[in-house]
Amino acid sequence: MADRPVLIFDFGSQYVQLIARRVREQGAFARIVRHDITAERVRELNPIGLILSGGPSSVYEPGAPKCDPGIFELDLPILGICYGMQLACQTLGGAVQPCPSAEYGRTELFVADRESPLFAGVDAATTVWMSHGDQVREVGPEFVPLATTPSCPVAAVKHKSRPVYAIQFHPEVSHTSQGSTILANFLNKVCGSDGSWTMAKFVEREIERVAATVPADEKVVCGLSGGVDSAVCAALLAKALGDRVVCVFVDNGLLRLEERDQVAKAFGDSSKAELRVVDARADFLGTLAGITDPQEKRIRIGHTFIDIFKREALSIPGAKWLAQGTLYPDVIESGGDPDGPAATIKHHHNVGGLPAELGFELIEPLRDLFKDEVRRLGLELGLPESIVWRHPFPGPGLAVRVLGEITEDRLALLRKADAIFLEELHAAGLYRQTAQAFAVLLPIKSVGVMGDGRTYDQVIGIRSVQTDDFMTADWSRLPYDLLAKVSTRIVNEIKGINRVVYDITTKPPGTIEWE
Ligand code: XMP
């Protein structure tokens, strides 16, 4: 059962990935598929149920996305949400029209049929989240209404003879107070899910799959960045393949204080895989000498990394595979799943065209997982919390946090300040509550006074943000006492810094990094 997916048809809703995560939270394996997947392909994928997502279109408009009507003949449980409801009802004989006035936000749902499995344990009146301009006006001969809201006479329906349900509201968003009960009811009571898609099961199956994929005489190269995705990817591969995994960690000289040792220790302690640390500090600092333009820094770092990684990977006898820590949102958004929706937002390019250039095959053990699931997987695999809960760190490293020219001395100043800030954030118990926190070294000097003397020294900026997706962010309201302590320690302990500023800019208009 745990292997059989719930397929989520993507009709363009901004909530498609959220639906998938909610389904997984209930212990069922959700996969997002293109809305026009054929009924035959659906049958091959052997799902336990289908969810038709919402979407921005109107079902009665020419060109509106439709599903293969054959899916309704498969006798599979189906839950239509919002647009998905309108499409299910229209396809099976109901009528959809514009609402007299569009309905957005919280509203009260009155459940008329509390015997229905979909509403088991749900209150007779419950708060739901609506976001629609159309609604089902007539249910047609095949559906019975289950619930209403003050402005939506048909807010939920059930098919008379098939396991097809549909709801106008969004159970996946947290504003629908009993949304997870409703989703759980659909999965457990209608689809017959046994809730057994757990991380432990995932690990077991993925280890088997990796072991079966990589022939016994071949090796996998896995780039380690110090971040959580590559660490989890490496740990999983190591469990499956042992010493046939060779991890390559490139020390580009742009790492945080003691980062190289931390990665080597966290990794060496828990894995049979071979770890190769490439000391490329001179190459990177050489190519960055005199460069101040942020994009130019990124370009040079990217090229140097590829050259060095390629050279190292090609020197490993038997290496035929390159591991990449691609996550499910990247796969979906880049159109990387043949059954998934077409590319929408971005093309992911963790290591660009490296596999092809190297003549390697690509292996992506995390491609079915969301970020929060990768963290759970990391814990399951025994990785230390310090790696699993690490904030993201940009590929170009401290090069984009030393504003202006990069020199050993300036990097050393920044490292010390950054370490003090993170140490105090940890000590205050606030590290996990912030999404990303770091120091930057500004390209200016300012006047100060120390003892009896005037100083003319460098300035450190402190940045800490709250965000879920890193596309928008708010600055963290860190306690003044914490900021005071960080500032005092930085100016007292680091010779050459006489001023500390706290960045209170949201994104947009600011970005999280300063360069
Ligand atoms: P911005 O600064 O664009 O950052 O608001 C959003 C997130 O992306 C990270 N970031 C990068 N990551 N290479 C990376 O791998 C880069 O060039 C890069 N620039 C920004 C940043 O740390 C934040 O998490």
Side-chain angles (χ1 to χ4, degrees):
M1 171 67 76
D3 286 331
R4 292 181 59 193
V6 173
L7 301 183
I8 298 163
F9 284 53
D10 180 0
F11 289 100
S13 163
Q14 56 175 325
Y15 298 131
V16 172
Q17 293 190 19
L18 186 58
I19 299 172
R21 282 177 46 210
R22 294 281 182 254
V23 168
R24 291 180 182 194
E25 280 165 19
Q26 301 297 334
F29 177 47
R31 269 189 73 183
I32 298 168
V33 295
R34 56 199 316 138
H35 64 81
D36 56 355
I37 186 171
T38 64
E40 199 185 327
R41 181 66 185 144
V42 169
R43 198 202 312 266
E44 283 168 12
L45 293 171
N46 193 22
I48 57 170
L50 313 178
I51 295 180
L52 311 182
S53 84
S57 312
S58 287
V59 288
Y60 47 78
E61 276 175 354
K66 297 280 161 74
C67 56
D68 179 346
I71 64 163
F72 293 101
E73 309 296 329
L74 296 173
D75 206 28
L76 279 169
I78 297 179
L79 177 66
I81 297 175
C82 195
Y83 182 87
M85 169 178 187
Q86 295 155 18
L87 186 63
C89 289
Q90 189 202 48
T91 310
L92 298 176
V96 176
Q97 287 174 3
C99 305
S101 60
E103 193 180 18
Y104 293 105
R106 287 190 180 84
T107 187
E108 200 78 352
L109 181 84
F110 300 100
V111 181
D113 181 357
R114 299 185 65 213
E115 299 298 306
S116 168
L118 194 66
F119 290 110
V122 174
D123 298 337
T126 183
T127 303
V128 298
W129 179 263
M130 289 286 201
S131 173
H132 62 121
D134 292 337
Q135 63 186 21
V136 174
R137 297 300 292 180
E138 286 164 30
V139 295
E142 303 202 39
F143 283 102
V144 277
L146 298 178
T148 58
T149 73
S151 57
C152 183
V154 188
V157 293
K158 177 196 176 325
H159 195 273
K160 283 182 183 159
S161 55
R162 301 178 195 175
V164 177
Y165 291 80
I167 50 185
Q168 184 55 67
F169 56 91
H170 290 269
E172 68 276 19
V173 303
S174 55
H175 311 298
T176 296
S177 54
Q178 293 181 289
S180 55
T181 308
I182 295 166
L183 269 181
N185 285 340
F186 174 68
L187 296 166
N188 302 333
K189 296 183 192 299
V190 183
C191 299
S193 163
D194 58 9
S196 63
W197 192 78
T198 61
M199 242 343 122
K201 283 259 170 60
F202 176 86
V203 172
E204 228 173 77
R205 280 198 310 276
E206 198 57 24
I207 285 175
E208 276 170 24
R209 199 182 67 79
V210 169
T213 307
V214 180
D217 58 343
E218 293 181 1
K219 289 191 174 175
V220 178
V221 180
C222 181
L224 278 187
S225 68
V228 56
D229 299 346
S230 66
V232 173
C233 182
L236 183 74
L237 290 170
K239 275 250 155 68
L241 305 170
D243 60 5
R244 287 194 289 132
V245 180
V246 182
C247 293
V248 175
F249 181 70
V250 177
D251 182 350
N252 55 12
L254 305 165
L255 304 173
R256 287 163 289 186
L257 196 70
E258 294 169 359
E259 186 157 19
R260 172 170 159 175
D261 294 344
Q262 283 164 9
V263 170
K265 184 169 179 320
F267 202 74
D269 281 356
S270 63
S271 171
K272 286 204 210 91
E274 181 189 341
L275 175 64
R276 291 192 179 195
V277 178
V278 186
D279 186 347
R281 289 177 293 181
D283 300 78
F284 283 90
L285 296 188
T287 189
L288 288 171
I291 304 298
T292 54
D293 177 68
Q295 284 317 91
E296 184 62 25
K297 287 180 183 174
R298 281 191 169 79
I299 291 165
R300 286 175 182 242
I301 291 168
H303 287 157
T304 309
F305 177 82
I306 288 179
D307 286 348
I308 287 169
F309 191 87
K310 212 158 68 178
R311 195 187 323 140
E312 192 66 25
L314 289 172
S315 77
I316 301 167
K320 293 279 185 317
W321 298 78
L322 182 72
Q324 200 169 295
T326 317
L327 305 190
Y328 196 50
D330 285 332
V331 173
I332 290 302
E333 286 159 21
S334 64
D337 178 352
D339 292 317
T344 46
I345 302 169
K346 60 178 178 188
H347 290 276
H348 67 91
H349 42 245
N350 287 359
V351 283
L354 255 184
E357 260 187 66
L358 290 165
F360 284 10
E361 299 265 5
L362 189 60
I363 189 160
E364 297 173 309
L366 311 182
R367 59 180 281 125
D368 282 337
L369 301 182
F370 289 103
K371 188 84 178 183
D372 49 335
E373 294 171 328
V374 171
R375 293 212 160 94
R376 280 186 8 236
L377 173 59
L379 294 173
E380 186 74 35
L381 290 165
L383 288 175
E385 298 225 345
S386 57
I387 295 253
V388 168
W389 290 107
R390 210 146 208 225
H391 290 169
F393 185 60
L398 299 185
V400 290
R401 294 182 180 171
V402 168
L403 310 195
E405 194 176 351
I406 297 158
T407 63
E408 283 283 14
D409 291 348
R410 301 192 75 219
L411 282 166
L413 282 183
L414 176 61
R415 277 196 191 100
K416 286 185 203 154
D418 192 66
I420 289 173
F421 179 34
L422 292 188
E423 191 183 310
E424 292 299 336
L425 199 60
H426 275 291
L430 291 173
Y431 182 81
R432 281 271 294 273
Q433 290 171 44
T434 55
Q436 201 168 3
F438 54 89
V440 293
L441 181 67
L442 308 194
I444 51 166
K445 286 185 164 188
S446 79
V447 175
V449 55
M450 252 180 205
D452 293 330
R454 176 186 181 277
T455 58
Y456 187 55
D457 277 335
Q458 313 220 40
V459 184
I460 282 286
I462 298 288
R463 178 95 161 126
S464 176
V465 294
Q466 311 299 122
T467 173
D468 286 329
D469 57 9
F470 297 89
M471 308 289 283
T472 60
D474 196 4
W475 56 278
S476 309
R477 292 348 185 225
L478 295 181
Y480 281 178
D481 286 349
L482 170 62
L483 292 172
K485 195 163 181 193
V486 171
S487 159
T488 307
R489 278 195 62 192
I490 289 176
V491 291
N492 283 343
E493 293 175 30
I494 310 173
K495 194 168 170 338
I497 306 288
N498 68 352
R499 192 176 294 272
V500 177
V501 295
Y502 187 51
D503 182 350
I504 51 167
T505 321
T506 54
K507 174 184 178 178
T511 48
I512 294 174
E513 303 292 344
W514 277 46
E515 274 197 343

